[in-house]
Amino acid sequence: MIYEFPLTEGIRRFLRIEMLAEQSLVYIEQDSEYSTIAAVRALLDLVSLVSKNDTKIELIKQLDQVMLIESLSEADRLEANELKGILSRQSFRAYDAIKENVFLNTLRQRFVIVGGICAFDLPVLHNWLNMPFQTRKEHFYEWMAVIENVMNAVHFVLRCIRGSMVTEECSFKHGFYYRSVKWRAGLLRINMNDYNFFPEFSGNRHQLSIRLVEQSSPWDPPKQVDTDITLQVEICGA
């Protein structure tokens, strides 16, 4: 398991966008009404993040920073410039097809109510769910196409940031690590595959603390690891 910690608010949002996109795409490929509901719920959360104007601004800024990476290939540099141009030309009304869709807006309003999408509450949803699986998929991917430009840019930025990294050894005393930092990085990564505990991060580009925590089952309280250990931490986008 690789744990990632964003060092900026922009990267934090990109990671959330990436997670929601992966969730929705996994769910929509399963021929189940409940999976389709989960896919649409994730899609609506995704749209609320993607359609914010500062997401586009942050993406353009990150694409400019990516193009400054010395190790970036010429092909990636051209792609970054192309993505920046697409986003710069994109109208602020680009998401109207989703945001003004009556069906999706009805679902959005009912999703916030606990148990609010039963057939007696929302027959329009259950009528749609009763359509053939392939039809539901086609509708879903038509909605996803509206945010394709931003999704392509988010995936590209995160790929380049993860690919531009240096490794540093961090010594944990009794399961705790702290230091002041002056990184220009955007993301930290720790591979915990060889351990049965997990990291809890706190910090930003100026200070960082990591606490190693173990929990044998959900019924046991989590507790800090009481041992000294050295771990390799990947500093990405520096």
Side-chain angles (χ1 to χ4, degrees), residues 40-235:
V40 174
R41 187 189 295 267
L43 172 65
L44 291 175
D45 287 343
L46 184 59
V47 171
S48 71
L49 288 177
V50 166
S51 61
K52 293 180 183 294
N53 192 50
D54 56 343
T55 297
K56 171 181 170 179
I57 294 171
E58 181 64 26
L59 266 174
I60 291 174
K61 184 179 79 172
Q62 288 292 334
L63 287 167
D64 282 334
Q65 292 181 6
V66 162
M67 285 189 279
L68 296 177
I69 297 175
E70 292 183 2
S71 60
L72 196 70
S73 70
E74 187 59 30
D76 281 342
R77 205 176 304 278
L78 290 172
E79 184 175 354
N81 193 53
E82 181 180 355
L83 288 169
K84 178 184 174 182
I86 291 172
L87 291 178
S88 299
R89 294 188 298 271
Q90 182 169 288
S91 167
F92 69 94
R93 299 187 63 87
Y95 310 107
D96 286 358
I98 291 182
K99 296 175 72 173
E100 297 180 3
N101 183 283
V102 175
F103 175 73
L104 292 178
N105 278 333
T106 302
L107 267 58
R108 184 183 290 109
Q109 293 165 11
R110 298 300 304 186
F111 277 147
V112 299
I113 301 173
V114 177
I117 59 170
C118 292
F120 58 83
D121 284 315
L122 208 55
V124 65
L125 168 62
H126 291 268
N127 175 68
W128 181 66
L129 292 173
N130 198 45
M131 294 180 184
F133 173 53
Q134 191 60 37
T135 299
R136 302 198 308 267
K137 280 180 60 176
E138 289 173 1
H139 294 166
F140 177 86
Y141 282 108
E142 186 173 338
W143 293 323
M144 281 291 290
V146 175
I147 60 174
E148 183 178 10
N149 291 338
V150 171
M151 295 306 307
N152 289 340
V154 167
H155 291 317
F156 177 81
V157 166
L158 289 177
R159 175 172 65 81
C160 290
I161 287 176
R162 288 171 178 139
S164 172
M165 62 89 176
V166 294
T167 302
E168 185 171 304
E169 285 192 347
C170 297
S171 298
F172 292 77
K173 300 298 182 182
H174 300 288
F176 184 75
Y177 173 84
Y178 174 83
R179 63 171 282 191
S180 297
V181 295
K182 292 183 179 180
W183 297 325
R184 291 180 53 82
L187 183 70
L188 294 183
R189 288 162 55 92
I190 301 182
N191 189 332
M192 303 297 293
N193 284 342
D194 297 331
Y195 304 96
N196 60 354
F197 44 83
F198 58 90
E200 288 185 343
F201 298 89
S202 178
N204 48 45
R205 283 181 168 177
H206 307 292
Q207 59 182 1
L208 172 70
S209 66
I210 307 174
R211 189 167 72 105
L212 301 178
V213 179
E214 56 185 349
Q215 184 180 33
S216 55
S217 81
W219 292 270
D220 297 325
K223 61 180 181 179
Q224 185 169 315
V225 174
D226 188 21
T227 186
D228 295 345
I229 187 173
T230 299
L231 293 175
Q232 300 282 335
V233 176
E234 295 179 356
I235 306 162

